[in-house]
Amino acid sequence: MEAIVKDFPNVRAVDGGRFDLRAGEVHALIGENGAGKSTMMKTLYGLYAPEEGRIVVRGRSFEALTPAEAIALGIGMVHQEFMLVRELTVLENIILGFEPRKSGGRIDFAEAEARVRRFVDDYGLHVQLHKKVNAISVGEAQRVEIIKALYRGAEILILDEPTAVLTPQEASRLFEILKTLTASGKSVVFITHKLREVMALSDRVTVMRQGRHVATVDVSATSIPELARLMVGRDVFLGVDRSGHGSVGDVALSVEDVFVPGDKELSKLRGVSFELRRGEILGLAGIDGNGQSELVEAIAGLRPVERGRIRLGGREIQNRRPLEVRAAGLAHIPEDRNFRGLNRAMSIEENLAGMAFRRAPLSRGPLLVAGALRRFARRLIETFDIRPARPEAATAHLSGGNAQKVVVAREVDEEAQVLLAAQPTRGVDVGSIENIRRELIRARDRGAAILLVSADLEEILSLSDRIAVMYEGQITGLLDAEGADEESLGLLMTGGALP
Ligand SMILES: Nc1ncnc2c1ncn2[C@@H]1O[C@H](COP(=O)(O)OP(=O)(O)OP(=O)(O)O)[C@@H](O)[C@H]1O
Ligand SMILES: [Mg+2]
């Protein structure tokens, strides 16, 4: 891809973008939120026609590709936000639009299944072909997307932040699959914010900043600090400063012997108890699907509690409606920004004010205060570095990481007694991770009680004061963060006990 320019209203998303891909390589594409990574690759996949530049695939030159041309050229893409049809089965999703037919025109499901099984076997892409997509895990849905691309003949596979939604275990499984794919000559474009993954998995890496090509380097000739500097344009402090931790106060949230129905058998909560105090961050670690999501939803009033008590600031809140729970002093960064975090039909400003508009200074009685909303939005946009920095911009067009920042900003700014932070830095670039983590520590130091749920053990270890480990719907360990390490947590997370 040479000298690519792609404009959207009010923004030049790609401005002289350059990218080349060799057969059999994993090529990482990195850059800050909004740098133009997704746009660049959507151009290669034929979803956008660039204003300028050209795309050369195996010697054939194009000004723009259509999706059909891209597929015919062997280009496949797995998007940042999955695009499967939830009501169809895995097999139906894979063959959708490319169904083998019997003479007479009916879909030949036996033939389809045989073809799909070859990819399952050749690349170790284990999936349950006859399950509906709404009944499978995120990791499995991603494998379905990969098989779908391969089924359509992909030789070039673009993965847009594939590990953002995966547990570390699922991610290593994905890496094995990618190795098998490249060993057979296929090429992989790998968009990620996790520099450790870039170093571990890729051959080369391209860095974009503000739509421009910054550098393409061999991974063997670079380092994490150098990549971070290339992305952000300054040195990035990759740790968190936790000094100044004040004293831990009263119990803000107590969960007593709580039983909650689960999405799966393993994720039913079976007698969960813990206390969360003001001025502390309690990290909740665990392999995804062991009840963490159910626990957060039960506290937030989004899932029924069958037995047990949840108290917030002394008031019982189990089985109350979400708004009542919020009124009692809860803020919630949900794990899925699109499903529960944002109203994508509204602007950045409207989303930021989603709770705050109900009270001063944004409103007085039933009336909104002129100008206050704009000032409020500008302040949060600046603190959390939301781009574009225009309050009236639509959230529907935000890059993934910037959408996440809107949700985090709104919830942290609530200054609630209790903050449930589920995957707060999912999809966010290194500079903004630094920012969000600092704001969480600040909230804690102000006296907030924070329950941090993260699939990222490094995040749990660097932010938490205490760590609880969930396994099969129960808390199997509760330890001081001081002295905890990835190994001991890993052991607890897989059902083992500490020696
Ligand atoms: N469909 C669209 N309409 C308008 N603007 C868009 C559209 N898609 C992207 N943009 C804008 O283009 C810029 C680049 O966005 P893009 O999604 O490519 O970023 P990204 O590098 O993938 O970021 P992230 O890491 O957050 O996913 C951003 O400013 C974004 O707001
Ligand atoms: Mg993106």
Side-chain angles (χ1 to χ4, degrees):
M1 303 177 75
E2 295 166 13
I4 304 288
V5 173
K6 175 65 201 157
D7 288 335
F8 292 114
N10 294 313
V11 52
R12 175 151 286 190
V14 177
D15 183 11
R18 192 164 93 220
F19 190 81
D20 75 282
L21 185 64
R22 299 173 186 156
E25 81 167 335
V26 176
H27 193 145
L29 179 57
I30 64 173
E32 290 182 286
N33 297 129
K37 305 177 298 293
S38 297
T39 304
M40 185 78 177
M41 286 305 135
K42 284 181 186 170
T43 307
L44 179 57
Y45 189 51
L47 294 173
Y48 297 139
E51 267 67 43
E52 289 170 36
R54 58 182 198 140
I55 303 173
V56 184
V57 188
R58 288 178 221 96
R60 288 178 63 195
S61 178
F62 301 85
E63 281 183 359
L65 294 169
T66 64
E69 281 170 337
I71 291 170
L73 286 164
I75 299 166
M77 180 161 182
V78 177
H79 293 276
Q80 200 164 355
E81 329 285 348
F82 291 163
M83 301 205 166
L84 299 172
V85 184
R86 296 174 59 83
E87 289 304 315
L88 295 183
T89 67
V90 166
L91 181 62
E92 287 164 341
N93 264 285
I94 293 171
I95 64 174
L96 194 65
F98 294 81
E99 300 88 353
R101 304 269 167 184
K102 295 183 194 165
S103 56
R106 302 206 5 189
I107 297 178
D108 189 346
F109 278 105
E111 168 64 18
E113 181 160 347
R115 281 195 214 168
V116 169
R117 287 231 179 264
R118 278 208 294 280
F119 297 111
V120 173
D121 298 341
D122 287 359
Y123 301 110
L125 285 156
H126 179 71
V127 294
Q128 307 165 76
L129 290 178
H130 300 290
K131 274 239 165 115
K132 278 195 180 165
V133 164
N134 60 21
I136 64 178
S137 71
V138 184
E140 186 168 347
Q142 186 170 65
R143 292 194 291 277
V144 174
E145 293 265 22
I146 294 174
I147 297 173
K148 184 176 170 113
L150 295 174
Y151 175 83
R152 295 172 169 200
E155 289 298 319
I156 294 171
L157 190 63
I158 305 162
L159 302 173
D160 196 349
E161 291 190 40
T163 57
V165 290
L166 298 186
T167 61
Q169 290 75 9
E170 287 174 320
S172 17
R173 215 164 141 196
L174 172 68
F175 297 160
E176 290 307 313
I177 293 167
L178 297 185
K179 281 185 197 141
T180 326
L181 287 169
T182 47
S184 72
K186 296 186 193 299
S187 313
V188 174
V189 183
F190 179 62
I191 302 179
T192 186
H193 289 293
K194 300 182 185 172
L195 300 179
R196 280 210 275 188
E197 295 177 349
V198 173
M199 301 304 290
L201 184 73
S202 34
D203 301 292
R204 289 191 300 156
V205 50
T206 287
V207 184
M208 289 182 74
R209 189 162 74 230
Q210 296 177 351
R212 295 191 198 95
H213 177 267
V214 174
T216 298
V217 288
D218 281 335
V219 162
S220 57
T222 187
S223 65
I224 288 182
E226 185 189 26
L227 291 176
R229 191 170 342 110
L230 286 170
M231 280 172 61
V232 181
R234 61 172 168 89
D235 280 324
V236 181
F237 175 57
L238 294 164
V240 203
D241 183 5
R242 299 172 43 183
S243 60
H245 181 199
S247 53
V248 172
D250 302 341
V251 173
L253 178 79
S254 80
V255 174
E256 295 163 38
D257 202 25
V258 159
F259 287 72
V260 169
D263 282 344
K264 287 178 297 193
E265 186 58 29
L266 284 187
S267 60
K268 267 196 218 165
L269 299 191
R270 296 175 289 130
V272 169
S273 302
F274 66 90
E275 287 184 339
L276 177 62
R277 292 176 174 271
R278 294 178 65 90
E280 78 162 344
I281 299 181
L282 176 65
L284 189 64
I287 296 174
D288 205 24
N290 279 269
Q292 301 92 313
S293 308
E294 282 80 356
L295 175 58
V296 167
E297 289 180 10
I299 298 171
L302 294 162
R303 189 177 282 262
V305 172
E306 284 170 347
R307 228 176 86 188
R309 269 202 297 218
I310 304 176
R311 270 194 278 220
L312 199 165
R315 284 168 63 184
E316 289 196 16
I317 56 160
Q318 71 274 7
N319 295 321
R320 290 292 171 81
R321 286 179 302 138
L323 263 182
E324 291 178 70
V325 178
R326 280 186 169 270
L330 186 99
H332 175 204
I333 301 167
E335 61 181 350
D336 182 335
R337 59 177 167 255
N338 293 316
F339 179 48
R340 279 202 167 125
L342 287 172
N343 183 333
R344 290 171 64 87
M346 288 185 163
S347 67
I348 294 178
E349 173 176 81
E350 288 165 327
N351 272 287
L352 285 173
M355 296 306 301
F357 82 95
R358 295 165 193 276
R359 52 175 190 263
L362 296 198
S363 60
R364 193 174 301 132
L367 303 174
L368 282 174
V369 178
L373 179 61
R374 203 34 69 89
R375 282 193 297 278
F376 167 83
R378 288 205 192 285
R379 175 173 61 79
L380 289 183
I381 285 172
E382 184 177 330
T383 307
F384 288 87
D385 190 21
I386 296 165
R387 301 180 202 183
R390 285 185 294 112
E392 69 286 3
T395 34
H397 298 145
L398 288 181
S399 77
N402 281 297
Q404 179 72 18
K405 292 186 223 166
V406 172
V407 178
V408 173
R410 180 186 64 218
E411 298 301 325
V412 170
D413 197 64
E414 280 289 288
E415 301 200 356
Q417 268 188 64
V418 175
L419 172 61
L420 302 178
Q423 322 294 348
T425 60
R426 177 172 274 176
V428 166
D429 67 49
V430 284
S432 296
I433 285 178
E434 185 189 356
N435 218 5
I436 289 177
R437 290 187 180 170
R438 194 179 50 233
E439 292 300 325
L440 289 175
I441 298 274
R442 259 194 208 147
R444 177 200 69 181
D445 292 344
R446 272 200 307 265
I450 301 179
L451 182 66
L452 167 74
V453 185
S454 178
D456 183 350
L457 279 186
E458 192 262 323
E459 177 154 281
I460 295 267
L461 284 164
S462 66
L463 283 177
S464 310
D465 301 300
R466 288 189 303 145
I467 300 174
V469 180
M470 277 199 95
Y471 178 70
E472 298 192 349
Q474 292 179 312
I475 290 187
T476 53
L478 193 57
L479 45 156
D480 244 354
E482 200 97 28
D485 55 31
E486 296 206 11
E487 280 87 88
S488 54
L489 290 180
L491 194 62
L492 288 167
M493 284 164 60
T494 49
L498 290 179

